[in-house]
Structures are given as structure tokens and as C-alpha cells.
Amino acid sequence: SEPDMGFIPPGTVDLLRRALAEDLAAAGDITTDAVVPAGVRMQATLMTREQGTVAGLEASLRVFTLLDTDVTITTRVDEGAAVQAGTALASLEGPAAALLAGERTSLNLLCHLSGIATATTAAVAAVEGTGATVADTRKTTPGLRALEKMAVRLGGGRNHRFGLYDAVLIKDNHLALVGTVGAAVRRARDRVGHMVKIEVEVETLDALQEALDAGVDAVLLDNMSPPLLREAVRLVDGRCVTESSGSITLDTIRAVARTGVDVVSLGWITHSAPALDIALDAG
């Protein structure tokens, strides 16, 4: 079926145009222009080389139609699909010049976003049955946040705040300038009103108690060990959302989730997830 472009966040097309300009500049694909006769058409298949979760398929395929509207695309899987190695994701047919010129830009995006979705899927599987959810952070590639957070959702995770504009998260540097958790929360509540959530990052049980006394909506329990996390969850006793973050890996995430925290947030699923191996094969 033709891609419906439902998974292309606002601004993506402009981003793709800039990426193509970065690769083609003013001279274009001088290799294809020199080697492939003008007017030649080709067929190609997007094929996975390893198991994973697909994300960014619609956006990555848009690269080719931006280069030439004569390219025909047939998608073979849905966004968020769990696939094995050797799975055909899409079939393409059109001018060889467009398919070859767009190949790397398209694959760079698709492999990166699918890698994020795959890493998220693994993290979600690791906490299954604990009651905890997996969330991302703002540790995203500049310019790619909407797409990367989309990939997290497709991998089964949840999005943390999208930016500094949509939720208050009071961190250590804020507290260093204000003085106390209570003062920071009061100032934030006076400024943003009751419709915006306020979260405070804490590293000790004393700071956690101060945050609870201030009436926060959520606490970020930063770099706490599982035993300390259990104590923190008991202290909170359901009064606010508990989030654990800081140096959590696939090897440690289940132990963290089993402490009873509501959310485990992971920066590495966006900033360090390995790219999924996907290729564009002619024929």
C-alpha cells in the first residue's frame, strides 16, 4: 500500500530536504550521473539484516518522493512492526537516479529510528510484569526529537516531556540557585499555575520528604540504588508519581523496576541506541 505519511511529525519534510541538500549540494550525485545512463529505471527492496522493531519507515520513504514524484512505493510492514532478519519492509520502483541519490539519507534515518524502537522494545520487555513503564528523556539528537520520541512510542515506551516548555522539572542546578526544594516548588507553582505538572529531582530521602511536603506531582529519584529506591517508594506511599533515572542499563532495569517505581526513564535509548541494520537492495 502507499504510505499514508501518518508518521511524519510537523517539520520532518523540511528536515529531509536539508539532509538531502547536505548530501547532494549543488552538483548532485556525480557518481550515478557519470555511471548510470539517463532515464534508467530500477526496482529495489528495503530489507532488514537483523531482528528489530521498525520505526521511521514513512518518513524515510518520503525522501525518495521528494527527489522524484515518479517513484512508486509499496510498504510491506506497519510502523512499529517486530521483524526478523530478511524481512522486506517496502518495495520501490522508479528512476534509478532518485533511488540511488536518496538511498543513504533514507537509510540513515530509518536505521537510526528503528534502532531506537528496538532498544525501547528490549527495555519494555525487561520490565514486563513489574508495573513500571519505560520513558525517554530530552537526550535526543538536535532537530530529531519528534522523530526519536515517535520511535520510542513505536517501541512500546512512553514520552517524557517534549521540551522545557511543557512541564516543570526542578533539578540540582535550579536548587543551587534558589536554595530549597520548598522554595523552588512554591515559585514554580505561582508562575505556571495548577495545569502544569511539577517534578523535582532528588538524590536523598530528606530531599524527597521536602518535595512531598511541597506537594509535587512527581519526583525524579536520581541515581538511587534499588534498596534506596524501595525506601523512597515506601515514603512516597502513592502521593505522587515516582520516576527512577540515572545509569540504568538493560542489565539493571528490572531490579530498578521491581522496587515499585512508576516510571524508569532512559537517556540511552535515544542518544546511544545502535542503528538497526537495514539495506536497500536493487532488484
Side-chain angles (χ1 to χ4, degrees):
S1 61
E2 285 291 328
D4 64 10
M5 303 309 167
F7 290 89
I8 299 186
T12 300
V13 170
D14 288 339
L15 184 151
L16 296 177
R17 292 187 193 279
R18 291 195 300 272
L20 286 169
E22 182 178 59
D23 210 20
L24 299 172
D29 180 2
I30 63 174
T31 305
T32 298
D33 289 347
V35 174
V36 179
V40 169
R41 301 181 71 85
M42 68 179 286
Q43 295 180 337
T45 303
L46 273 178
M47 188 77 68
T48 57
R49 299 284 173 83
E50 59 182 330
Q51 178 180 339
T53 302
V54 177
L57 184 60
E58 307 290 6
S60 66
L61 291 172
R62 187 72 176 90
V63 167
F64 297 107
T65 54
L66 283 174
L67 287 167
D68 196 321
T69 57
D70 193 23
V71 173
T72 300
I73 300 169
T74 305
T75 55
R76 303 295 186 188
V77 302
D78 293 330
E79 294 276 6
V83 295
Q84 301 298 317
T87 300
L89 304 183
S91 300
L92 299 90
E93 192 281 330
L99 298 187
L100 294 174
E103 176 181 359
R104 179 45 50 200
T105 297
S106 179
L107 287 175
N108 282 350
L109 187 62
L110 179 60
C111 294
H112 174 60
L113 296 178
S114 296
I116 289 172
T118 300
T120 305
T121 298
V124 170
V127 305
E128 185 177 3
T130 65
T133 58
V134 172
D136 53 27
T137 71
R138 285 170 48 246
K139 295 178 181 178
T140 55
T141 308
L144 292 181
R145 181 169 293 171
L147 286 164
E148 291 178 343
K149 283 183 172 283
M150 178 194 74
V152 169
R153 296 194 302 275
L154 288 168
R158 293 185 180 178
N159 293 146
H160 206 273
R161 58 179 179 166
F162 264 76
L164 294 174
Y165 60 86
D166 63 344
V168 174
L169 175 50
I170 300 168
K171 306 186 78 172
D172 54 354
N173 283 339
H174 299 109
L175 296 176
L177 296 171
V178 176
T180 67
V181 170
V185 172
R186 285 191 298 273
R187 290 170 67 91
R189 183 57 70 204
D190 289 344
R191 179 66 179 266
V192 302
H194 69 287
M195 294 296 289
V196 178
K197 298 288 187 181
I198 295 178
E199 183 174 21
V200 175
E201 178 184 83
V202 299
E203 297 180 353
T204 67
L205 295 181
D206 287 342
L208 172 58
Q209 184 61 62
E210 192 176 354
L212 292 171
D213 292 342
V216 296
D217 301 297
V219 287
L220 194 162
L221 307 170
D222 187 44
N223 282 298
M224 288 189 178
S225 66
L228 189 56
L229 284 172
R230 289 190 194 94
E231 291 186 48
V233 169
R234 282 196 293 269
L235 182 60
V236 170
D237 193 27
R239 285 179 284 176
C240 70
V241 174
T242 54
E243 174 187 352
S244 177
S245 188
S247 304
I248 300 170
T249 68
L250 282 179
D251 292 331
T252 62
I253 189 172
R254 187 163 185 85
V256 170
R258 291 180 66 182
T259 64
V261 294
D262 299 308
V263 180
V264 182
S265 56
L266 307 170
W268 65 266
I269 56 174
T270 49
H271 71 61
S272 296
L276 191 68
D277 192 357
I278 302 170
L280 183 72
D281 296 330

